[in-house]
């Protein structure tokens, strides 16, 4: 399981406010300003959301909204407690990014903070730690396809509902793709079985 925090946008209480430069509608936020840390978009207004996908298949085990500009390391214990309550068991290894240094997690899970060089880390564990980067496309799909980027629901309750519904939609999309692949594989095997048995094809 991987834990990742992502910055979200939030629509203001008075809806969209027209921009004076181009006349297009733009949204403002009454929430905090979050530093993104990249050159393309240095800052973003809104809240943070924490997502916890699996390392292998990318299924989302937990999603929650974090009001304010909370430090990432202080949110890890809350997310792992929620995932533990949903699954009924604890996770063994939890790879996280370098922003989670100084975490306050005191559970039974083993937290592996990402680093630039492998050093003395075993190669098998290092491979799973590098799987942490697979969470970035998942967040991108949730923002572009499942309305995680711009929340139009009211209040902190609306923020929490939007994060959970986006994660549920992402899981349902993965389940739908798996079902279609399973059905196509089943039909293909049935087609090959009919072609290889001339008696069944005549009947």
């Amino acid at each position: 399981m991987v834990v990742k925090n992502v910055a979200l946008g939030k629509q203001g209480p008075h809806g969209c406010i027209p921009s004076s430069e181009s006349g297009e509608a733009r949204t403002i936020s009454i929430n905090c300003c979050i530093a993104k840390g990249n050159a393309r978009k240095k800052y973003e207004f809104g809240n943070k959301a924490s997502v916890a996908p699996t390392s292998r298949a990318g299924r989302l085990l937990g999603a929650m909204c974090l009001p304010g500009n909370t430090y990432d390391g202080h949110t890890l214990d809350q997310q792992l407690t929620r995932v533990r309550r949903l699954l009924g068991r604890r996770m063994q290894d939890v790879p996280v990014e370098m922003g989670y240094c100084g975490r306050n997690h005191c559970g039974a899970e083993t937290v592996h903070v990402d680093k630039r060089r492998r050093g003395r880390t075993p190669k098998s564990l290092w491979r799973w730690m590098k799987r942490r980067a697979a969470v970035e496309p998942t967040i991108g799909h949730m923002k572009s396809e499942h309305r995680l980027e711009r929340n139009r629901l009211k209040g902190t309750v609306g923020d929490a509902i939007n994060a959970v519904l986006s994660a549920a939609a992402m899981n349902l999309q993965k389940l739908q793709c798996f079902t279609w692949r399973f059905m196509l594989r089943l039909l293909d095997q049935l087609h090959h079985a009919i072609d290889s048995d001339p008696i069944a094809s005549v009947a």
Side-chain angles (χ1 to χ4, degrees), residues 24-119:
E24 298 177 353
R26 62 183 176 91
T27 58
I28 64 169
S29 174
I30 59 174
N31 297 304
C32 60
C33 178
I34 301 172
K36 296 284 289 181
N38 53 29
R40 185 178 63 87
K41 185 185 289 186
K42 295 184 179 181
Y43 300 98
E44 191 170 8
F45 289 92
N47 290 332
K48 281 185 178 180
S50 177
V51 294
T54 58
S55 299
R56 188 182 297 273
R59 297 183 182 91
L60 295 169
L61 302 178
M64 64 178 185
C65 186
L66 306 169
N69 192 4
T70 311
Y71 175 61
D72 291 347
H74 297 163
T75 64
L76 182 60
D77 191 50
Q78 185 179 0
Q79 179 65 273
L80 292 181
T81 302
R82 179 169 296 192
V83 172
R84 200 183 305 123
R85 186 173 67 248
L86 290 174
L87 294 181
R89 60 184 179 89
R90 67 177 182 87
M91 299 289 100
Q92 294 182 354
D93 298 307
V94 181
V96 296
E97 63 182 2
M98 288 184 285
Y100 285 88
C101 292
R103 61 196 179 278
N104 61 346
H105 176 59
C106 56
E109 295 85 359
T110 304
V111 179
H112 303 283
V113 182
D114 193 18
K115 52 186 179 181
R116 292 184 176 87
R117 301 184 179 221
R118 184 165 72 92

Side-chain angles (χ1 to χ4, degrees), residues 2 4-6 53 97 131-143:
V2 181
K4 168 75 175 180
N5 285 358
V6 56
E97 63 182 2
R131 281 288 301 165
R132 185 207 60 80
V135 70
E136 302 297 341
T138 301
I139 293 173
H141 285 297
M142 290 177 68
K143 281 187 171 184

Side-chain angles (χ1 to χ4, degrees), residues 171-187:
N171 286 336
L172 287 176
Q173 185 183 26
K174 288 180 179 292
L175 180 62
Q176 183 182 17
C177 292
F178 172 78
T179 305
W180 277 110
R181 286 197 300 266
F182 177 77
M183 293 299 296
L184 290 176
R185 186 178 299 176
L186 186 63
L187 290 176

